[in-house]
Each structure stands twice: as C-alpha cells, then as structure tokens.
Amino acid sequence: MADPKDSATASSNHDHSHGGIFGERSELIFAILSGAFLAAGFAVDILAENAAEWLPLAGYLAAYFFGGFYTLKEAIDNARARTFKIDSLMLVAATGAAILGEFAEGALLLFLFSIGHALENFAMGRAKRAIDALAELAPDTATVLRGDAQVTVPVEELKVGDTVLVRPNERLPADGFIVVGESAINQAPVTGESIPVDKRPVPDAAIARQSIAAISSSSRAFAGTINGSGALRIEVTKKANDSTLSKVAELVAAAETERSPTQRMTDKFERIFVPLVLALAVLLLFAPLVIDETFGESFYRSMAVLVAASPCALAIATPSAVLSGVARAARGGVLIKGGAALEDLGTLKAMAFDKTGTLTEGEPRVTEVIPTDGADETELLSVAVAVERLSDHPLAQAVVRDGVDRLGDTDIPEASDLKSLTGRGVTARLGDEAVWIGKAEMFGVDGTAPLSDASAEAISALRQQGRTTMVVRRGQRDLGVIGMMDTAREGAREALAELRALGIERMLMISGDHANVAAAIGKEVGLDEARGDLMPQDKVDTIDALSRKAKVAMVGDGVNDAPAMAKATVGIAMGAAGSDVALETADVALMADDLRHLPFVVGLSRKSRSIIRQNVYVSLGVVAILVPATILGLGIGPAVIMHEGSTLLVVFNALRLLGYRDV
C-alpha cells in the first residue's frame, strides 16, 4: 500500500494510482476481473456438478492473478525499499490458503483486498484532485501586447514586465498589477473571498514596479482568478511558476507529507504492532502441540490472524483526514501547512493578535471632528483639507480622504506655502491668514499662542480614548480638534465572537502602539485583554508565557510578527496572497485579508481532529474484535471483508471534510 519510491514515506502513503494497460483505472479493472473469475469458478464449483475439476480451479487461479498482480508488485517494491507492509501480509495469507488447497478463500481474500484498495484509491483521488485542481486554475495561454499587436503565447513564456490583455469573464494568466481598466475580479480560487473585489489601475506604474509589495490590494491581480465585465491590462510581476497560485498548490501538496502528532503516534504503534502480529502468527503454527487440531487448521488460523491484525485502516486513518482537511481549507482560501498545524489548530485555547493590519484596517480614519471657538464642522474640515492635501503624510492623506467624504459638495479653498515642522505638524497660508495643523505640543512654544481651554479639553478626552489628535488653527482662532484612529476591521468583532463560541477561551492583543490605542481597539472588537507599548521581544515573551499555560496561536502579517509567530503553537498570517514571506513563515496563511476566515479554519481543524479520532477508534476497534475472533475460528473471508470494510469506512469518513461548511 505504500509508495516504494520513497522509503521515508513508505509507511504512510497509500498511493495506488498504478498505471497499466487500462491506464489509471488498471487496478480497479484488474480487481473487477478478479471478482468475475472468482464468481465464475465458484459458480462452476457449486452448480456444474459434471464439469471438469480443473475448471473451477482455473477460475480461482485467474482470480489469484488479477487480484494479486498489483499486490505482488507493491510487495516487491516494498521489499526493495526494505519494508514489510500490509500487502506482504496479505500475500502470505493468500499463499498459505493456496498451500492448504483453499483456493476459493485465497482468491476471495485477494479480490476483496484489491477491490478495497482500488476503491480507496478512487476515494483518496477525490481529495488529491481537489489539490491538483488548484494548479489547473490558471489558463494555458495569455494574450500579450507587443506594440500594437496582440499575441497569444503559452503562460510559461510570460516574462516579468509583459502586459497582458484580459477580456471580460476570462481567467487571469499571471500575477501582476492593473495598468488600464476597471473591473470586479472573483478572487475566490486564491483567497476564498465570496464576493468579487473591485479593481482599478495603479496611480503610477513606475512606482509600482519599484515597490511591488506596496501595491494596493485594489490594484493587485492573481493568476487563476476570474475577471468580471471590464477588460483589463495587467503588467506581469511574477513568472507562471512563481505565481501565488502555483506556490499555494506546491505548499498544499507538500502538506501531505507533514506528519501530524496522531500520525506519528500511529506510526510508532505500527512499528511495534506488526512484529507482534508476525510473532503471534508464527506462535499459532504450534497450536497442535497444545490443542487437538491438524497443522493445516493451525496454519489457516495463523493466516486469518495475519489478515485480521493488518493495521491497514489505522495506517490510512490520519493521512486521509489530513489530506481532505488541507484540501478543503485551500478551497476556502486558507493554506494549512501540514497535519501538525491542522491538528494543533483544533486544540487551541488562546489566541494573540497583532493590531495594525490584523484587527485594524492599517489605515488611519477620521473618527471625531470637534469644532471650538465658534467654528462649525464645515469650516474646520474645509481648512484642514485645503492644507493637508498639499502634504503626502499618511495622516494628512487620511484627513483629505475622510474630510472630502464628510464635506460632500462643499467648495474647498486653495492653500499655499506648506511648511512641515517635523514630528509636530505643518503650517500654510490660506488667503492672508496663517494656518497651523498638528499636535497639541506644537502650540504654546516658539512664539505660538497656547491652545484654548476648549481645544485642550478635547485633546485630553480624545487621547484617553486612544485617538491620534490634531489641532486646526486659523489666524488667532482654534477652529477645533480632529481625532483619528486606525479603525477595527469590518467583521472583526463577529469573527472573535465566533472564535469564542468555538472554544477559544482567551483572546488578547499585543501591539507596539500606545496602550490607550490598544485598549480602545480591544474594547471595540471584544478582546479579553489589550497590551500596548510592546517591543518585538516583549511580544515573544508574552507568547512564551501564554504557551506555558495553553496552546496559543499568534495572528499577524507574517513579516513583522515572525518571531512571535514562530514562538506560538501555530503562527497564522493574514492577507498572505501575494506575500511570499507570509506564505513561507506561517503555519497557516489566510490568503484573503479577512478575519472572518479565521473561525472557518479553526472550525475545520476541530472537525478534522474529531474525524481523525473517530478513524483511529474504528481502526483499533476492528483489529481488537477481529484478532480474537480469528484465533477462535473466524475464517479468512469474513476477516478480510471486515478488514477492507473498515479501511473504506475511515477513508469515506475522512472525505466528509471536503464538504465541510462554515456554520
């Protein structure tokens, strides 16, 4: 049952996708032929009393050939890899039955074993096809603009810097950024987002080429995603084999070989159990010395025990569940890097979050506008926008963006002579008056008049709420105070509530921002605790302390939080699509920049752990029943039916994960 090409994985890989004269279905067809010849031999033996004696034997021997062909092939490959696996045990049992003249039972054993493996291969193929389908999402060809001409080329020939044309409803051929056109792109194949995402061109293609990582998500494009109704021109930033989609497909496929804790435990069990089974089978050969039976009867019982005790279902119980769970997660826009991460996710009791870009949008927003000294909100915002649109500072850009939204159709005056006071604010001219905008600390020094009492009170109140503040003064009047904050993500509070319902008992924020800012966001999203003013080492120490009490996950961006993520039981990266660093460093990567995928993957991992436990219990339970039953006289036929039945049961039970839905 193992893949002999790699002795390191031979003990757990149940790959039966053998080639042959009938292609990939050869093993299934051989198993069916084995059953047909077995049925023919049995029919002749029972119904045709006057038939030649060799006719039923010929049917049984043909059943031996077709049922044992791939079993023997794999046993030989296992022997070359110096492993003695379940296939070998079955061959020994079938050979023993033939020696005893029980050709019908031996043929039945090989038929059931081969048909069971063929069906198992078919079922496991469903999970593998779900993974393989990822790599097939990108189109085979792309339309490249060469001057004024449109040239169709294989995607493998695309180069960084090429401009590709994507027509409405076509799949995107490569990762890149949009240079012309607007459309809504269905990114579900990569990020799992259920709603198409509006896309627009980058403001400056030259700047985008210099800093690809800084390109806005609204201008990024990924291979394999589906264009909406607008035609797009996309500049390629990665070759086909380096695209986010291809990396995800590679990492998901590699996750199969990552062994989970349960799988490591069952491997140890098998290494001890299989030799004990062989010793028991040999010991049973000496039964005639102590009980009244023939050697043939003892030999038959010994072969039946070999069949009954073969831990086939146990060997496939965990890998099948891991494969299905990882495939389902990938289809939902979450990359889980192996069985260990899948199982660990299901045991989490605590979760720590970074603030900026994880629980928050990562962009400051105007949250309060407080006019003072007789001004109104329109006057305050008009002056602020007029001055700040001359600046390229992130806070200034946020004031302009949100201020324009609040002002609507209000005319905004023209400011001039902007001067930056580093670390404090800016000054400018509006008409014949001076304007100051900045921190409270820039007022009352260097000849600048102090703040009015109303402005000072507003600043104090907003800072206690964790707001970043700026005062707007025109001439001799304080027009008011603007409060700003990196606001919580949409759906963050609901996502954390779902996590709590799933059994996450403690959730906290660990942030380098001011403690008041952290506390404000923590209260808004419903965290148990928010810790601010933390250096990177403080975050690591916090995770270390938490992990001593319970299994803990660290959720961050996969770059700045890498040390803390590495220290946690599970490191979870947000918004990993397009980020090679996040894909490589995290144990779990949420491809979309959406916290609402977190409850989905935690729920999936808990379901996966449940199914793994069910499979292990079924596997061990069947062995526990069959071994004493065969010792007491149960035949090879019933034993192999239960044996193969349990193997198929655990595989199909694992496949239920492919249909998991986030409720």
Side-chain angles (χ1 to χ4, degrees):
M1 297 178 66
D3 183 357
K5 295 177 183 177
D6 186 351
S7 59
T9 60
S11 64
S12 63
N13 192 343
H14 291 241
D15 184 4
H16 304 281
S17 52
H18 303 289
I21 61 173
F22 301 111
E24 64 179 14
R25 296 185 178 181
S26 293
E27 185 178 16
L28 178 60
I29 293 173
F30 269 48
I32 293 172
L33 288 173
S34 174
F37 281 110
L38 172 63
F42 188 75
V44 171
D45 199 8
I46 299 298
L47 302 176
E49 298 179 359
N50 298 322
E53 293 185 3
W54 61 269
L55 275 177
L57 179 60
Y60 296 145
L61 290 176
Y64 258 78
F65 173 79
F66 287 108
F69 182 85
Y70 283 108
T71 307
L72 176 61
K73 183 177 182 296
E74 198 146 347
I76 292 172
D77 290 337
N78 285 336
R80 287 174 180 165
R82 297 183 180 180
T83 58
F84 188 73
K85 309 308 297 178
I86 295 156
D87 311 79
S88 306
L89 297 182
M90 292 300 174
L91 280 176
V92 170
T95 302
I99 291 172
L100 293 173
E102 300 287 348
F103 287 100
E105 289 222 10
L108 176 64
L109 185 156
L110 290 176
F111 161 64
L112 291 174
F113 189 67
S114 61
I115 195 69
H117 280 200
L119 291 173
E120 175 191 323
N121 180 48
F122 172 78
M124 288 291 284
R126 284 191 58 195
K128 291 189 177 183
R129 283 192 293 275
I131 290 174
D132 294 339
L134 289 171
E136 298 169 2
L137 287 172
D140 296 326
T141 60
T143 303
V144 183
L145 299 179
R146 306 279 195 219
D148 294 331
Q150 298 179 10
V151 183
T152 300
V153 301
V155 292
E156 294 80 9
E157 295 181 10
L158 288 176
K159 300 175 182 176
V160 174
D162 280 345
T163 299
V164 296
L165 174 64
V166 183
R167 299 178 180 86
N169 303 315
E170 286 186 346
R171 285 190 182 270
L172 276 62
D175 283 13
F177 58 84
I178 298 166
V179 290
V180 177
E182 295 186 0
S183 186
I185 293 181
N186 178 1
Q187 297 190 151
V190 173
T191 67
E193 293 167 286
S194 58
I195 300 174
V197 179
D198 291 332
K199 299 288 182 176
R200 60 178 182 270
V202 293
D204 190 320
I207 294 176
R209 293 184 196 105
Q210 294 173 4
S211 181
I212 294 173
I215 298 172
S216 167
S217 60
S218 62
S219 299
R220 281 178 177 257
F222 302 108
T225 56
I226 306 166
N227 189 22
S229 58
L232 299 173
R233 293 188 181 187
I234 297 172
E235 184 167 319
V236 176
T237 57
K238 292 181 180 180
K239 294 182 178 180
N241 58 353
D242 290 330
S243 70
T244 299
L245 182 67
S246 63
K247 281 187 175 293
V248 169
E250 290 172 9
L251 290 169
V252 171
E256 286 185 68
T257 62
E258 175 76 28
R259 307 179 75 71
S260 72
T262 302
Q263 197 168 346
R264 290 194 293 269
M265 180 272 291
T266 55
D267 287 345
K268 291 179 182 178
F269 176 81
E270 284 183 64
R271 284 197 294 270
I272 298 170
F273 183 69
V274 170
L276 289 177
V277 169
L278 292 172
L280 176 61
V282 171
L283 183 63
L284 288 172
L285 295 176
F286 297 95
L289 298 178
V290 293
I291 61 175
D292 184 19
E293 69 176 14
T294 65
F295 176 77
E297 291 171 329
S298 295
F299 189 82
Y300 181 87
R301 180 187 288 110
S302 177
M303 296 303 100
V305 168
L306 282 182
V307 172
S310 297
C312 187
L314 183 63
I316 198 67
T318 305
S320 59
V322 167
L323 180 63
S324 297
V326 169
R328 175 64 186 96
R331 204 171 70 216
V334 180
L335 173 61
I336 301 178
K337 294 166 70 172
L342 181 68
E343 283 202 49
D344 285 340
L345 263 176
T347 63
L348 294 175
K349 293 296 182 184
M351 213 172 259
F353 298 84
D354 177 45
K355 181 185 78 70
T356 306
T358 301
L359 289 173
T360 65
E361 296 288 353
E363 294 182 353
R365 294 277 178 181
V366 173
T367 53
E368 289 89 11
V369 178
I370 304 175
T372 59
D373 294 353
D376 59 21
E377 182 173 314
T378 299
E379 182 184 6
L380 170 57
L381 286 176
S382 295
V383 172
V385 171
V387 172
E388 295 288 30
R389 65 183 174 186
L390 301 177
S391 172
D392 60 359
H393 191 281
L395 290 179
Q397 294 173 357
V399 169
V400 173
R401 179 194 63 226
D402 295 343
V404 168
D405 287 344
R406 289 183 180 230
L407 288 169
D409 296 330
T410 302
D411 291 332
I412 298 172
E414 293 287 334
S416 61
D417 297 333
L418 180 78
K419 294 180 182 178
S420 175
L421 305 175
T422 304
R424 293 185 293 165
V426 296
T427 65
R429 302 292 300 180
L430 193 62
D432 58 357
E433 289 185 295
V435 176
W436 290 265
I437 301 178
K439 296 179 179 179
E441 287 74 17
M442 76 179 289
F443 299 93
V445 297
D446 298 332
T448 306
L451 293 176
S452 66
D453 291 342
S455 294
E457 289 176 8
I459 290 285
S460 177
L462 290 176
R463 284 184 173 178
Q464 286 185 3
Q465 297 174 43
R467 304 300 195 258
T468 298
T469 58
M470 57 176 63
V471 178
V472 180
R473 173 179 289 175
R474 182 178 185 179
Q476 302 301 314
R477 294 171 61 215
D478 285 354
L479 300 184
V481 178
I482 296 175
M484 305 183 71
M485 191 175 186
D486 183 7
T487 55
R489 284 182 178 275
E490 181 183 356
R493 187 176 187 87
E494 293 77 7
L496 297 187
E498 289 181 43
L499 288 171
R500 202 176 298 279
L502 286 168
I504 305 298
E505 298 172 356
R506 187 178 183 190
M507 288 182 281
L508 72 158
M509 178 200 299
I510 50 177
S511 173
D513 273 356
H514 191 279
N516 286 350
V517 176
I521 293 293
K523 182 178 180 180
E524 184 177 353
V525 299
L527 290 172
D528 299 309
E529 182 181 355
R531 301 180 185 181
D533 298 317
L534 298 181
M535 299 298 288
Q537 185 57 46
D538 297 328
K539 293 184 179 183
V540 174
D541 293 341
T542 300
I543 294 295
D544 188 34
L546 287 170
S547 62
R548 293 196 197 104
K549 300 176 182 177
K551 291 190 175 182
V552 60
M554 174 65 197
V555 186
D557 61 11
V559 183
N560 300 328
D561 304 304
M565 289 168 65
K567 194 71 175 177
T569 309
V570 181
I572 303 174
M574 286 279 298
S579 172
D580 293 342
V581 175
L583 287 176
E584 295 295 336
T585 58
D587 300 307
V588 177
L590 309 184
M591 303 304 291
D593 210 14
D594 190 344
L595 266 178
R596 286 171 289 198
H597 285 198
L598 199 50
F600 158 73
V601 70
V602 171
L604 174 63
S605 66
R606 282 183 170 19
K607 184 68 174 179
S608 299
R609 286 193 74 242
S610 174
I611 284 181
I612 288 172
R613 286 198 303 270
Q614 291 169 14
N615 283 354
V616 170
Y617 295 154
V618 167
S619 306
L620 293 176
V622 168
V623 170
I625 293 170
L626 281 181
V627 170
T630 50
I631 291 175
L632 294 174
L634 184 69
I636 290 177
V640 77
I641 289 173
M642 289 188 66
H643 177 275
E644 289 305 310
S646 66
T647 302
L648 290 175
L649 178 61
V650 299
V651 171
F652 284 108
N653 189 40
L655 288 180
R656 292 194 297 130
L657 288 170
L658 291 176
Y660 175 81
R661 296 194 179 278
D662 183 15
V663 294

